[in-house]
Amino acid sequence: MNFQVFLDIATVALRILMPIYAVFIIYQCFASMRRQRRPEKPLVTLEIKNTGQKLPVLFWENSIGRSRGSDIVIADSTVSRDHCVLLRRAEGWFVSDIGSKSGTFINGEEAIGRERVLIDDEITVGTTTLVLKRGEEYQERIRPSWFFSKASDKGSLQPYKLMLLITFFHLFMAVEACFSNEVQDFVPLYVFGAFTVISWVFFLISAYAFNRVNFELEALGLFLSGIGVMLLVRQELRSAFVQMIAMTFGLILYSFLVKFIENPDRVNSWRLAIMIGAVGLLAINLVFGRVQNGAANWINIGGISVQPSEFVKIAFIFVGASALDRLQTKRNFIEFIIFSAICVGALALMGDFGTALIFFGTFILIAFMRSGDFKTLILALAAAVFGGIIVLKFKPYVADRFAAWGHVWENAQGAAYQQARTLTYTASGGLFGVGTGNGYMKYIFASESDLVFGLVAEELGVIIAFAIAIAIVALAFYSRAVTTRSRSSFYSISACCAAGLMVIQTALNIFGSTDILPLTGVTLPFISAGGSSIISCWGLLAFIKAADERTYSQKRILRGED
Amino acid sequence: MKRIMQRSFLILIVSLVFFGGICFLAFRLLTQNSMWVQQPYNGHMSSSNGLAQAGDIVDRDGAVLAHTDASKNRVYHEDLTTREALLHVVGDNSLNISTAVQSSYRNELTNYSFIWGLGMPNSLKSGKSLALTVDAGACRAAYEALGSHKGACVIYNYKTGEVLCSTSTLSYDPENPPEINEDNEEQYDGVYLDNTISSTFTPGSIFKIVTAAAAIKYIPDIYEQSFYCEGEYEIEGSKITCEEYHGYQNFDEAFSHSCNCAFAQIALQVGRENLTKTAEELGFNKELFMDDIALVKSHYDVSQAGDNELAWSGIGQYTDLSNPMHMAMLCGSIATGGTAKAPYLIQDHDSFLAQLGIEKKAADVQMLDANTSEQVKVLMRNAANYYYNARGLDLAGLNFCAKTGTAEIGEDKEPNAWFVGFTEDDAHPYAFAAVVAEGGYGISAAASVVSAAMYELVY
């Protein structure tokens, strides 16, 4: 056996190892999320004065009312269906009346706006009086969500170990790229070095400056972003550096957002400003937008191309979510609907139908989570179908995309050029890929962004490509699992919808490029090259981070509060 | 918060739909990956189109038809004529002949599997050899007999489905593929099509097999009828003519004489619907397969035809078109009592997916009922015994049933010559179809091609 054959066997062995390794990393990220959760016990207890019955208060924000969907159900006909909200803030517990008929009284005095309540205070709703007691007063066991492991499970992987795993994965990609078929040099190692420095500095700041215990979400984000950067090295080196710089801004935005939304009430006072800012951004885009590939969704600021719609995604989630006592007000909801209509309309005007579709899908998610109303849902869908027909009528090039849809092989040199390449190179990669830098997909236009699924599948193999898709869906499952443990409905809604947005975007990206849906040209979260896109992904991740109550309650030194 | 939790099931639904989409993509990838990979633009296959690692292709006797030598060059059979005769079966280095084994079974030859993809280092790649069912000698003989005419000859074993002889002209040497440009376009017209499976020709009188089958099925007294031929038959002011004056004849004689006047009348008696129905049962307008390669559909459509055109269609003119492999299958079905065995070219070829029933696979085709096929067999046997044998036609001494065809294809062009049928011999159960474009009369042109190949197969 000569040296070349030995080298080849080593290369193939590394390729087989990497998908297994990637799946292990993604598993570890989510396994850590499932652990380190405070035991399932009530935060406080409400005692019904007459009967002595004890009601556990499980959430940071609890609706009290007669309707069965309330968090605390009071079987008393004088109580409104949605009567008031009992909520917890850093300062303590508050009661807020949400338009009940008979009013809410604290120690006999009517509550106007949010009123502070202390242990042993009496809250009167209708003819029922509730006494606020400590959580320990409630003794029965409560069943935890399936997502989380039992408290007795072994501890999670130390964050720095997770980071080491990820760094080694990126190193393997860099080594592969160093020995790529066409070019052999050590440039990939420099890129790897730069990326590693950025991600470890971020980790250390998170752990020591912010004293955060958990790092799984960030680790997952860094893992995916790193794959995107390393794939760019042999495609266009400059883009790899641009991507890293953009990711750094993304990390800064992430840290800022997590801090900014720490107080859900402060968020509310900024809501209008954010809304106006986002609309303004879209207006600037509409006026100064540059047309690129059929959509005028770019603006140029001092030589840097920016895609404003990516940042509006974050504003969209902001405006959509709200704390429980403000969620019920009509004004809040109508503002959101108008804002959504402006966003979707502006994007349609720009010709960016992929992003418009993402916004619309997210709108449906938010609207339903707020109202639970199927009528709103059906009405919105009907409006969308109508809008879709109008678009097809007035923007014929969109219809052309539909024409090629499902007929890739007849149009492989024409309208379906990109999809045909994506499918061919996806299949060419096999399960384990042809190795970083060895692909041919990278020569196809937009293969680093809209068609990146093909690039990942070809160079890293189908296993990793699918694992990335599954990881993004798992984010949605995770967001759902932390819903009731969030410190405010603002976090629950924003996390679920931010994850939902990413799932919709991933679906449009993967299924669009592989001819299961028409090609709309949107990015794959974290992986696709594109500065605005990756910054926005990190911004969205902040919402998911904030929804986990551990983010703000657990500190590195003093573990656990309750 | 409980309510919000409950409502978040919508995100769960979105996620599940997404997951379903991923499963669908995985399924497509699993079932279609070879087709996706097989694209001429695929960069991973650019070096001699990926054939540098391909295994050998051998014929039924082990003769090497294609081979990659030590210096990674693809070389073909040592004999030039054999190379040309098997061009459309084996293929060349290009993907131009898309139905050839080197194009359509490239993945098997290069041992591509979806598990490893195309990224294996060269030192770890190894090709797989494929054995074909064809006999190189028979193909060569048929090719020589076809001469400079455009045409095709196919012979297959109607009991097993093995394709024994398949050759298509015009052809070229795969080791020296021509540069086709404006000057020589005409010389190489249609050269990338395998005429046995990818072309259709006007059938002419061989279509009388179909008309006869329809008559047997739908005209109860067909054998009692007498047909008068005075050399021409006028219908709607247009004349259908015969080469000679046949006089009074019964159904059997009309078939043997290949009397146009009689069959025009029979077609009209059978009627548009019944004739269409029989033609479609016999495989016209229907997708048929050899291995997993779809044959070009034979064409029969009289939905817009008047009586005159219906009459012409009954004698294989009008818009009728036949594919040679399909014609051999049709004859095979008559030989076996109604069912055409699915033809195949690759020995022991059954992919994993085909075994699971996921992949399309050639299946036997029920074309006729036993009674009708027996009657048609008698007609074709009589035609052979009393007419073709008498004219000195000999298929390696085997008993055979057959029909010739001479299809007019327009003014100042020689007609297309056809010869289709099957042998009645337990050791050599062969169905055949040969067509010679602009070859003149069927018995002289096309039959000699079949005869030449048959001698190679039998001796």
Side-chain angles (χ1 to χ4, degrees):
Chain A
M1 191 163 68
N2 62 27
F3 181 66
Q4 183 59 42
V5 174
F6 174 77
L7 212 65
D8 286 345
I9 289 174
T11 313
V12 172
L14 182 63
R15 273 187 217 160
I16 296 172
L17 174 81
M18 282 178 56
I20 301 166
Y21 190 17
V23 170
F24 177 71
I25 288 174
I26 292 172
Y27 170 78
Q28 279 302 334
C29 287
F30 284 98
S32 297
M33 290 178 204
R34 296 176 60 202
R35 295 182 188 126
Q36 282 190 18
R37 183 176 159 88
R38 72 173 164 81
E40 207 74 26
K41 58 185 183 188
L43 300 167
V44 286
T45 311
L46 285 174
E47 190 184 302
I48 298 177
K49 206 177 176 188
N50 303 345
T51 61
Q53 188 194 349
K54 284 181 176 138
L55 306 169
V57 176
L58 300 170
F59 314 129
W60 285 64
E61 293 182 344
N62 307 271
S63 61
I64 299 178
R66 184 162 49 87
S67 85
R68 270 199 300 167
S70 300
D71 297 319
I72 294 155
V73 183
I74 311 288
D76 176 350
S77 56
T78 55
V79 174
S80 295
R81 295 183 63 80
D82 297 299
H83 199 104
C84 62
V85 167
L86 175 67
L87 52 98
R88 180 183 171 176
R89 287 292 178 264
E91 303 82 34
W93 286 88
F94 294 85
V95 166
S96 179
D97 189 275
I98 49 171
S100 67
K101 280 204 185 104
S102 55
T104 306
F105 298 85
I106 294 160
N107 299 328
E109 275 179 45
E110 181 157 17
I112 298 148
R114 275 186 195 167
E115 296 273 355
R116 178 107 193 245
V117 283
L118 301 168
I119 296 298
D120 294 331
D121 276 354
E122 293 185 352
I123 305 161
T124 308
V125 287
T127 55
T128 308
T129 298
L130 305 160
V131 187
L132 191 70
K133 297 278 186 191
R134 289 184 192 285
E136 292 85 58
E137 307 265 329
Y138 190 79
Q139 297 300 338
E140 285 171 48
R141 235 181 75 84
I142 299 158
R143 237 166 53 95
S145 153
W146 62 269
F147 183 86
F148 295 101
S149 5
K150 289 184 206 85
S152 62
D153 277 7
K154 62 179 170 145
S156 63
L157 198 67
Q158 291 282 331
Y160 80 88
K161 285 186 187 159
L162 196 56
M163 279 296 287
L164 273 178
L165 282 178
I166 290 166
T167 299
F168 271 104
F169 185 87
H170 293 151
L171 176 64
F172 288 160
M173 281 185 77
V175 170
E176 259 192 348
C178 285
F179 298 102
S180 71
N181 289 346
E182 286 151 62
V183 196
Q184 290 88 29
D185 57 30
F186 294 107
V187 174
L189 285 180
Y190 307 149
V191 177
F192 162 76
F195 184 85
T196 304
V197 168
I198 295 169
S199 48
W200 279 86
V201 166
F202 177 60
F203 168 65
L204 293 176
I205 289 174
S206 166
Y208 291 96
F210 297 131
N211 289 325
R212 296 234 168 83
V213 184
N214 305 104
F215 199 70
E216 312 90 20
L217 268 178
E218 294 90 332
L220 185 68
L222 287 172
F223 175 58
L224 299 180
S225 306
I227 291 179
V229 170
M230 295 316 296
L231 283 177
L232 279 172
V233 175
R234 285 293 183 223
Q235 185 171 32
E236 213 200 321
L237 191 59
R238 189 179 161 275
S239 304
F241 284 107
V242 171
Q243 183 81 347
M244 270 195 287
I245 293 165
M247 188 190 79
T248 311
F249 281 108
L251 298 177
I252 293 167
L253 177 69
Y254 172 87
S255 310
F256 167 77
L257 274 180
V258 172
K259 200 78 201 153
F260 179 71
I261 57 182
E262 180 167 6
N263 180 348
D265 300 317
R266 175 169 60 203
V267 171
N268 190 59
S269 58
W270 280 86
R271 194 165 174 259
L272 190 68
I274 291 168
M275 231 183 316
I276 292 169
V279 171
L281 211 54
L282 287 173
I284 293 171
N285 192 166
L286 268 178
V287 177
F288 299 102
R290 277 193 298 120
V291 178
Q292 233 171 41
N293 313 318
N297 53 354
W298 294 84
I299 50 174
N300 203 316
I301 304 171
I304 303 167
S305 291
V306 184
Q307 219 173 344
S309 56
E310 289 291 343
F311 301 103
V312 178
K313 280 179 191 166
I314 297 166
F316 194 71
I317 302 281
F318 251 115
V319 175
S322 213
L324 198 58
D325 53 344
R326 297 200 177 85
L327 208 57
Q328 312 285 358
T329 62
K330 259 212 169 89
R331 191 179 142 224
N332 189 306
F333 191 42
I334 288 169
E335 277 169 2
F336 171 62
I337 292 180
I338 294 169
F339 179 63
S340 306
I342 292 174
C343 288
V344 176
L347 287 164
L349 273 179
M350 288 172 211
D352 187 358
F353 297 104
T355 313
L357 206 59
I358 295 173
F359 272 75
F360 179 75
T362 312
F363 165 75
I364 295 278
L365 293 178
I366 296 180
F368 186 74
M369 276 188 84
R370 293 181 57 129
S371 68
D373 187 6
F374 279 103
K375 269 182 286 177
T376 322
L377 212 77
I378 291 163
L379 213 69
L381 282 174
V385 170
F386 181 70
I389 292 168
I390 290 187
V391 163
L392 287 182
K393 205 161 170 121
F394 292 101
K395 300 263 181 180
Y397 85 88
V398 180
D400 286 348
R401 279 180 180 167
F402 274 99
W405 178 39
H407 304 279
V408 164
W409 304 110
E410 296 95 303
N411 301 302
Q413 298 302 333
Y417 184 94
Q418 292 178 303
Q419 294 95 315
R421 268 58 182 180
T422 307
L423 291 176
T424 294
Y425 290 121
T426 299
S428 298
L431 292 182
F432 309 108
V434 300
T436 314
N438 292 339
Y440 287 91
M441 188 69 201
K442 61 174 185 274
Y443 301 118
I444 308 298
F445 176 74
S447 62
E448 75 287 0
S449 52
D450 302 347
L451 312 179
V452 79
F453 183 77
L455 187 69
V456 174
E458 184 194 24
E459 299 202 350
L460 299 177
V462 166
I463 296 177
I464 290 184
F466 280 173
I468 288 170
I470 300 299
I472 290 168
V473 176
L475 273 182
F477 277 79
Y478 168 72
S479 305
R480 237 194 125 236
V482 296
T483 306
T484 51
R485 305 306 293 264
S486 296
R487 289 163 56 251
S488 165
S489 66
F490 172 81
Y491 302 122
S492 317
I493 295 177
S494 59
C496 280
C497 295
L501 186 152
M502 284 197 224
V503 171
I504 295 171
Q505 188 173 328
T506 308
L508 288 180
N509 175 280
I510 296 180
F511 301 148
S513 61
T514 54
D515 195 41
I516 291 173
L517 294 176
L519 185 65
T520 41
V522 300
T523 54
L524 185 63
F526 296 106
I527 307 280
S528 283
S532 310
S533 165
I534 194 155
I535 293 174
S536 133
C537 286
W538 279 98
L540 291 172
L541 197 66
F543 289 110
I544 301 174
K545 181 74 177 177
D548 192 332
E549 67 175 349
R550 294 172 299 174
T551 301
Y552 300 111
S553 61
Q554 289 179 346
K555 293 297 177 197
R556 210 166 50 79
I557 303 150
L558 36 141
R559 282 197 181 203
E561 195 186 333
D562 292 304
Chain B
M1 294 295 269
K2 213 160 72 188
R3 221 181 262 152
I4 289 171
M5 174 69 186
Q6 283 161 2
R7 289 172 191 162
S8 69
F9 81 90
L10 197 60
I11 279 107
L12 208 61
I13 291 174
V14 170
S15 305
L16 289 177
V17 169
F18 175 77
F19 190 71
I22 289 288
C23 291
F24 180 63
L25 178 60
F27 174 76
R28 270 197 180 174
L29 190 58
L30 203 64
T31 51
Q32 303 181 359
N33 59 71
S34 8
M35 192 267 281
W36 293 359
V37 164
Q38 281 307 333
Q39 298 300 324
Y41 55 75
N42 191 342
H44 295 285
M45 305 208 301
S46 58
S47 58
S48 70
N49 272 308
L51 286 169
Q53 276 80 34
D56 294 351
I57 300 175
V58 298
D59 86 340
R60 63 185 296 111
D61 302 320
V64 177
L65 305 178
H67 167 72
T68 299
D69 67 13
S71 49
K72 297 283 173 200
N73 289 321
R74 195 73 175 159
V75 292
Y76 297 87
H77 194 275
E78 55 202 7
D79 173 51
L80 171 67
T81 314
T82 311
R83 284 205 294 272
E84 291 177 349
L86 284 153
L87 169 73
H88 295 91
V89 171
V90 174
D92 61 1
N93 283 356
S94 75
L95 290 166
N96 289 335
I97 302 165
S98 63
T99 55
V101 169
Q102 290 202 149
S103 303
S104 48
Y105 294 94
R106 180 165 306 236
N107 289 339
E108 279 85 346
L109 283 169
T110 54
N111 225 349
Y112 164 82
S113 80
F114 176 63
I115 294 174
W116 299 108
L118 290 169
M120 269 290 182
N122 283 342
S123 65
L124 303 179
K125 279 182 187 165
S126 71
K128 190 178 134 194
S129 291
L130 284 181
L132 307 186
T133 57
V134 291
D135 181 294
C139 295
R140 184 183 194 276
Y143 178 76
E144 282 193 312
L146 278 164
S148 60
H149 285 283
K150 183 178 170 183
C153 175
V154 55
I155 300 176
Y156 98 111
N157 183 321
Y158 56 75
K159 284 187 176 160
T160 61
E162 292 165 285
V163 176
L164 300 162
C165 166
S166 170
T167 193
S168 167
T169 51
L170 308 164
S171 185
Y172 58 82
D173 179 6
E175 283 187 2
N176 271 310
E179 255 332 293
I180 295 179
N181 51 39
E182 279 179 17
D183 301 329
N184 60 8
E185 246 171 5
E186 220 155 279
Q187 187 191 339
Y188 290 107
D189 179 38
V191 77
Y192 294 139
L193 286 182
D194 182 346
N195 289 330
T196 62
I197 55 177
S198 305
S199 300
T200 53
F201 300 86
T202 306
S205 296
I206 60 165
F207 193 81
K208 286 173 187 154
I209 298 172
V210 179
T211 311
I216 292 163
K217 276 175 87 170
Y218 297 107
I219 307 173
D221 67 343
I222 186 71
Y223 284 98
E224 282 93 63
Q225 288 191 31
S226 168
F227 302 93
Y228 180 66
C229 167
E230 54 184 6
E232 59 180 51
Y233 176 71
E234 195 173 306
I235 172 171
E236 286 180 342
S238 142
K239 276 180 193 164
I240 287 172
T241 57
C242 282
E243 287 305 316
E244 49 191 303
Y245 163 85
H246 294 118
Y248 286 100
Q249 42 187 346
N250 65 18
F251 178 53
D252 196 325
E253 286 164 337
F255 186 85
S256 291
H257 294 147
S258 199
C259 176
N260 289 341
C261 300
F263 270 83
Q265 295 170 51
I266 292 170
L268 290 173
Q269 271 193 55
V270 171
R272 201 180 312 269
E273 273 168 35
N274 288 336
L275 197 49
T276 304
K277 199 169 160 224
T278 307
E280 288 183 351
E281 280 167 2
L282 283 163
F284 282 81
N285 304 335
K286 209 173 181 177
E287 191 156 68
L288 300 169
F289 290 89
M290 179 180 77
D291 290 305
D292 46 15
I293 297 167
L295 309 183
V296 162
K297 287 181 196 168
S298 294
H299 177 81
Y300 183 78
D301 179 11
V302 286
S303 58
Q304 307 294 321
D307 275 355
N308 175 35
E309 281 121 347
L310 177 62
W312 279 109
S313 81
I315 57 170
Q317 297 289 155
Y318 185 46
T319 60
D320 300 4
L321 289 170
S322 300
N323 165 263
M325 187 71 235
H326 167 218
M327 288 301 105
M329 287 173 75
L330 195 157
C331 293
S333 82
I334 295 164
T336 55
T339 305
K341 199 82 189 160
Y344 68 93
L345 192 62
I346 314 284
Q347 285 185 29
D348 311 316
H349 176 69
D350 237 354
S351 76
F352 174 66
L353 292 173
Q355 283 169 12
L356 286 179
I358 292 172
E359 205 170 72
K360 252 193 237 169
K361 196 180 151 229
D364 298 351
V365 191
Q366 173 76 39
M367 290 186 172
L368 288 166
D369 57 88
N371 175 48
T372 312
S373 75
E374 192 51 44
Q375 312 266 29
V376 176
K377 190 191 280 189
V378 172
L379 294 177
M380 290 172 74
R381 188 186 293 140
N382 290 342
N385 286 347
Y386 301 125
Y387 296 87
Y388 308 149
N389 279 348
R391 296 194 204 175
L393 177 61
D394 163 41
L395 298 186
L398 305 175
N399 292 327
F400 64 93
C401 305
K403 181 79 193 82
T404 56
T406 306
E408 299 295 339
I409 50 168
E411 313 251 319
D412 45 271
K413 272 188 184 169
E414 285 279 302
N416 284 349
W418 277 92
F419 186 64
V420 303
F422 52 91
T423 58
E424 288 193 291
D425 188 303
D426 280 340
H428 306 286
Y430 304 147
F432 51 81
V435 59
V436 185
E438 300 179 41
Y441 286 85
I443 188 117
S444 47
S448 62
V449 176
V450 176
S451 174
M454 207 60 93
Y455 267 95
E456 282 293 325
L457 288 175
V458 176
Y459 298 107

